[in-house]
Amino acid sequence: MNWKQLISTHRYHPGNIISLFHSHDRSQFQRDYDRLIFSSPFRRLQNKTQVFPLPGNIFVHNRLTHSLEVASVGRSLGNKISQFLRKKHVSLENSELLEEIGTIVSTGCLAHDLGNPPFGHSGEEAISYFFSEGEGHYLKKFLSDEEWNDLCHFEGNANTFRLLTHSFNGRRPGGYTMTYTTLASIVKYPHESIKANSKGFKYGFFQSEKDIYKLVAEVLGIKQLNDHPLQYARHPLVYLVEAADDICYQIMDIEDSHKLRILSYDETVNILESFYDKSIDKEELKIINKTFKTVTDKNERIAFLRAGIINKLINACTDVFINNYEAIMEGQFNSALIKQVEGTNKTTYEACTKLAYERIYHTGIVTQIQIAGFKILGTILKEYTDAVLKPETYYAGNLLSIMPEQYKVTKDDSMYTKIQTVVDYVSGMTDSYALNLYRKIKGIDLPEIR
């Protein structure tokens, strides 16, 4: 793969539709960034659970704040790789495009969670379960194996690609008409879902967007690894988007756990300080000790440690990218950057992962929202799937009348399209919208007459 193709300012326009608006004071990649910042799906992230339920009195991360922080880290990673490529004398027809790598990665980071459903990762599990083992399992006989895998292994990453490229009813053809490079930078798993039979496998596009990704890969010269099932190498910038996410969610979950008193102050400081090697990072440890003598607020101390560790991991992941540059460009590097860091970065990051699994992700408060999410999403999926398949009934007509116009289906739509439209609707909901709709469907709550 080569950067002359990989960095492209061309936009995805089905039918070669040309935008009516042009800007001369922003690059194409800056326009991508701004489109996401001002988009409705991005705003909805403020009411979607990251890990912990959204509390009223203690501020922890939601999907929106997480995405903004990941974008900040991604920009730093992108800028470092831009400097590396300039030193390697990588040449492009427009040399200024190398300067845009930080913006491209940052934009990919903004988008990386757009396709995730409400109620955190349990939302993905709830959608998958509804089709694989729940009340939607009977639909399997109406779908191809590839279509069925899209549903019973629902993947937020693939949903993000769909959200950015799909032509929803009444909306602009081509979704957000992003640049090909931005679209490729968000596809962490450039494979189709048929391989998702193996546990833990993720994929990057649904059957409905398969041809779109093939076009993106062709335009950018992304290496194809397999035809059946369709599989590509990653765009090199995907590694940076992934690294920014890996750095942020692990470290910020530790900080949030301290604020929620799941972890004590001493536990939190000990685990974070473990990122520093006492024999190597002497100067950094001196600065930490000096700062702690001045800063007595415990939350500020944790924030100071967190900032230093993020910077440390940015440098470490940059080194891994540079050391594996040739393999990445050949499409032969098969690891997340964070998994290849060394020394105390590696041992402590792994310890944080273990701690999060044992003490954070399985706490009562997190488990409760997972249980609720399963029930809420399962019910909504059941009611609306039945409604789109049998819209002639009185009840179905009422249900469909409150479904937003962009998700309307027609009698000529395929079974796959009808079901996927319901999944589009459900996955786009915020936590509170899904909860309120569930209550109305179950008759627990009635709208007030004003």
Side-chain angles (χ1 to χ4, degrees):
M1 296 183 286
N2 69 83
W3 292 104
K4 288 182 180 179
Q5 274 187 279
L6 289 169
I7 301 182
S8 170
T9 58
H10 291 94
R11 295 184 173 277
Y12 171 63
H13 285 297
N16 201 30
I17 294 172
I18 299 174
S19 174
L20 297 176
F21 300 96
H22 300 277
S23 174
H24 302 288
D25 57 353
R26 293 176 297 154
S27 72
Q28 296 299 323
F29 302 116
Q30 289 167 346
R31 292 176 70 191
D32 282 349
Y33 184 96
D34 294 346
R35 285 184 186 187
L36 290 183
I37 282 286
F38 287 93
S39 70
S40 295
F42 187 73
R43 288 196 297 275
R44 287 198 294 268
L45 293 177
Q46 70 181 310
N47 191 230
K48 285 192 175 185
T49 297
Q50 175 66 17
V51 173
F52 302 105
L54 306 178
N57 57 348
I58 300 176
F59 185 79
V60 294
H61 289 82
N62 55 40
R63 290 280 181 192
L64 181 69
T65 51
H66 168 71
S67 296
L68 290 169
E69 290 171 351
V70 174
S72 177
V73 172
R75 184 182 62 242
S76 297
L77 284 162
N79 288 340
K80 284 182 173 292
I81 296 307
S82 175
Q83 294 169 14
F84 162 71
L85 294 177
R86 286 200 301 272
K87 290 179 181 178
K88 282 186 69 69
H89 303 293
V90 171
S91 62
L92 301 177
E93 291 182 11
N94 182 350
S95 59
E96 293 180 358
L97 289 180
L98 278 182
E99 304 288 339
E100 294 290 335
I101 289 179
T103 299
I104 297 167
V105 176
S106 188
T107 304
C109 293
L110 282 184
H112 83 284
D113 270 352
L114 285 184
N116 282 27
F119 305 113
H121 289 295
S122 66
E124 288 180 294
E125 296 292 337
I127 295 173
S128 298
Y129 179 86
F130 173 77
F131 294 105
S132 63
E133 301 176 59
E135 293 188 74
H137 188 264
Y138 77 96
L139 297 165
K140 181 178 181 179
K141 60 178 178 270
F142 300 112
L143 304 170
S144 70
D145 289 344
E146 291 82 3
E147 292 169 344
W148 181 245
N149 272 279
D150 284 355
L151 297 171
C152 66
H153 298 282
F154 177 81
E155 177 56 57
N157 292 281
N159 202 40
T160 295
F161 189 74
R162 174 174 170 80
L163 186 63
L164 294 179
T165 60
H166 182 64
S167 301
F168 289 94
N169 292 335
R171 303 299 178 92
R172 179 167 53 178
Y176 287 87
T177 61
M178 310 295 279
T179 60
Y180 286 101
T181 299
T182 294
L183 289 174
S185 74
I186 66 169
V187 183
K188 291 169 63 175
Y189 314 102
H191 329 295
E192 59 182 323
S193 65
I194 196 66
K195 286 182 65 177
N197 289 319
S198 57
K199 185 175 177 61
F201 182 88
K202 294 179 178 289
Y203 61 96
F205 45 84
F206 299 126
Q207 291 301 305
S208 49
E209 284 71 51
K210 181 177 177 177
D211 287 340
I212 298 175
Y213 188 79
K214 288 172 71 174
L215 175 61
V216 170
E218 180 182 346
V219 169
L220 301 180
I222 297 175
K223 187 175 181 179
Q224 185 172 336
L225 302 179
N226 197 20
D227 190 33
H228 298 290
L230 187 63
Q231 181 177 1
Y232 290 89
R234 285 177 162 190
H235 189 291
L237 298 186
V238 171
Y239 292 97
L240 304 182
V241 174
E242 179 182 50
D245 186 28
D246 288 340
I247 290 170
C248 285
Y249 83 78
Q250 198 67 271
I251 304 306
M252 302 313 299
D253 288 350
I254 296 291
E255 183 176 4
D256 282 348
S257 297
H258 170 254
K259 288 182 179 179
L260 293 172
R261 298 183 181 179
I262 295 171
L263 298 177
S264 70
Y265 169 74
D266 289 338
E267 285 179 302
T268 307
V269 169
N270 286 339
I271 190 70
L272 294 180
E273 285 189 340
S274 297
F275 276 97
Y276 295 95
D277 188 324
K278 293 181 180 179
S279 62
I280 299 175
D281 302 317
K282 293 180 181 179
E283 290 303 314
E284 289 87 345
L285 289 169
K286 283 182 181 178
I287 293 173
I288 291 170
N289 290 331
K290 182 178 179 181
T291 301
F292 276 23
K293 289 178 181 178
T294 304
V295 177
T296 57
D297 184 281
K298 291 182 177 180
N299 285 330
E300 276 300 302
R301 285 181 170 184
I302 299 299
F304 180 77
L305 279 175
R306 175 255 300 155
I309 291 162
I310 287 177
N311 185 63
K312 200 170 186 290
L313 291 175
I314 287 172
N315 292 330
C317 287
T318 300
D319 289 342
V320 174
F321 185 98
I322 292 171
N323 292 337
N324 293 277
Y325 177 71
E326 298 301 329
I328 288 172
M329 297 303 289
E330 290 292 332
Q332 297 175 353
F333 186 69
N334 299 312
S335 174
L337 299 181
I338 197 72
K339 291 184 178 180
Q340 301 301 318
V341 299
E342 299 176 343
T344 55
N345 288 326
K346 180 179 181 64
T347 56
T348 308
Y349 187 87
E350 290 174 349
C352 285
T353 301
K354 185 173 184 292
L355 178 68
Y357 183 82
E358 294 175 351
R359 298 277 304 280
I360 300 173
Y361 303 147
H362 291 86
T363 58
I365 193 172
V366 174
T367 302
Q368 288 169 27
I369 198 169
Q370 290 174 346
I371 294 170
F374 255 75
K375 187 68 174 178
I376 292 168
L377 297 189
T379 299
I380 297 173
L381 283 168
K382 173 68 167 60
E383 298 292 335
Y384 272 92
T385 300
D386 288 348
V388 297
L389 297 183
K390 294 182 179 180
E392 66 278 2
T393 68
Y394 176 78
Y395 179 65
N398 284 331
L399 267 182
L400 295 176
S401 69
I402 61 174
M403 196 177 193
E405 184 65 31
Q406 71 187 87
Y407 302 118
K408 299 295 184 182
V409 299
T410 69
K411 63 179 181 180
D412 296 325
D413 287 331
S414 69
M415 177 72 78
Y416 175 63
T417 297
K418 290 177 180 179
I419 297 170
Q420 197 174 32
T421 299
V422 174
V423 175
D424 288 335
Y425 179 38
V426 172
S427 64
M429 294 176 180
T430 63
D431 291 18
S432 58
Y433 183 99
L435 176 59
N436 290 336
L437 181 59
Y438 169 79
R439 286 172 170 166
K440 289 178 173 62
I441 288 174
K442 299 296 287 185
I444 299 171
D445 190 22
L446 295 174
E448 294 183 8
I449 300 176
R450 298 181 184 276

